[in-house]
Amino acid sequence: MTKVLIIGAGIGGLGAAIALGRRGVDVDVVELRENSGVLGVGINQPANSLRALRALGVLDEVLAAGFPYDRNSFYDWQGRLVVDCPSALGGDVPANTALSRSDLHRILIGAVEKAGVKVTHGTTLHDLHDTGDHVDVTLTDGKAETYDLVIGFDGQRSPLRRRLFGTEHEPVFTGYSVWRLTMPRPAEVTHTMLFQGDGTKAGVIPLSDDSMYLLHVTAEPGNPHIPADGMAEMLAERLAGYGGLIGELRDSVSGADGIVYSPLSEVLLPSPWFKGRTIVLGDAAHACAPHLTQGAGMALEDAVVLAEELSPTGRAVGASLQAFMERRCQRVKLVQDVSHQILFGEMAVTTETLPAAVAHMRETLPGQLRQVENFLNQAFWAAGP
Ligand SMILES: Cc1cc2nc3c(=O)[nH]c(=O)nc-3n(C[C@H](O)[C@H](O)[C@H](O)COP(=O)(O)OP(=O)(O)OC[C@H]3O[C@@H](n4cnc5c(N)ncnc54)[C@H](O)[C@@H]3O)c2cc1C
């Protein structure tokens, strides 16, 4: 494996560029966006994702930029504590570290440059022809090149997935969306705090000593277009029933700039995610609801595991990609399924069922969360070569 093309310079594509570049592979990255800017909200990196970032050599920078924490607390819509769940993640790394997406991007870009990889913006795949021995590629900037492998980290709407597998695996809108806003961090926000409402959920996640982000998950049937200029008022309206901390924060939402509105869609491409010498990874293969904050972690794990599986010399590319699939399917499916269940379970709560739902959370949530976290905390390279 000497020459690889990566399509998409998001978190997963940059992760793969670093992992392969550090192993001496000649990597080209093409990115559709004209520049390398990212939307200014935050992202949590749970322990398994931090381990992938450690494998990429950037853990210390991520920890220095972010806010480590070790628990999730659950409240009702009035801000009354339901249950506090210390995390079962971590050990050798913090259980969680949240940081701004722009900081994570800056750190990954720095490592990409150190690994000697060039990212070309405003360019994408024009055509490819897999000869069995290699892939002949033409790009939209007119360049033609031959690669040993083409990797699509081109996001949940992945044109590469469509090219390889047709249109039957398009993202499915869940009916729900997330509103996010970076705000000053009140001293009490030292970990993820989630507030269950009737058919909605609000939350806060610390990002640094000074900042945190507010999130709100709402039902948005029909996936309406939300105009940027009305967003702050719409978010404030949707938070109307909340008291406690969220009620206090609501007053600073009206008139705020920088709200990011994300409809939630899911994709899970059946195995295998490759055809010949072309593979799709990250959100292109498995975009999930963000409720375990694992999407980028799964993309980064994909990147690290793929680089490991491509390393043994003398193994056919198809055998390496199959070995990769064996290490990824179960883990990705668990994240997909649990994230889906949490989203739909929380959104199904009504005014009438709220007291029972809260009692159920108190009883069952710590055990359920511990079970999932124990699984995710197992080394994701354990089954590797
Ligand atoms: C509301 C919300 C909150 C989330 N919170 C978290 C969290 O806290 N923790 C976490 O781990 N994950 C979180 N995620 C998930 C995470 O953002 C994604 O799983 C992750 O970004 C996937 O990385 P990726 O590289 O596969 O795809 P992307 O980040 O989507 O990157 C795809 C890249 O490909 C480019 N591209 C698209 N088409 C083409 C093309 N044709 N040619 C070239 N380039 C192209 C895009 O411009 C983009 O740069 C969240 C997601 C949402 C929606």
Side-chain angles (χ1 to χ4, degrees), residues 7-13 30-33 42-46 101 123-125 153-156 159 178 180 213 262 264 281-284 290 293-297 299:
I7 302 171
I11 296 169
V30 289
E31 163 59 50
L32 198 57
R33 281 179 291 118
I43 188 161
N44 178 42
Q45 296 297 274
R101 282 185 183 250
T123 302
T124 187
L125 179 73
F153 264 111
D154 49 351
Q156 58 171 265
V178 182
R180 286 171 294 168
Y213 81 84
S262 307
L264 296 179
L281 297 174
D283 272 12
T293 61
Q294 281 288 347

Side-chain angles (χ1 to χ4, degrees), residues 2 27-28 65 75-76 116 119 130-131 169 201 228 233 258 261 278 280 327 337 371 374:
T2 57
V27 182
D28 291 332
Y75 303 81
D76 70 10
V119 180
D130 188 336
T131 67
H169 307 291
K201 184 179 82 171
E233 276 57 45
Y261 173 80
T278 306
V280 290
R327 290 174 63 188
D337 289 348
Q371 207 181 349
N374 277 333

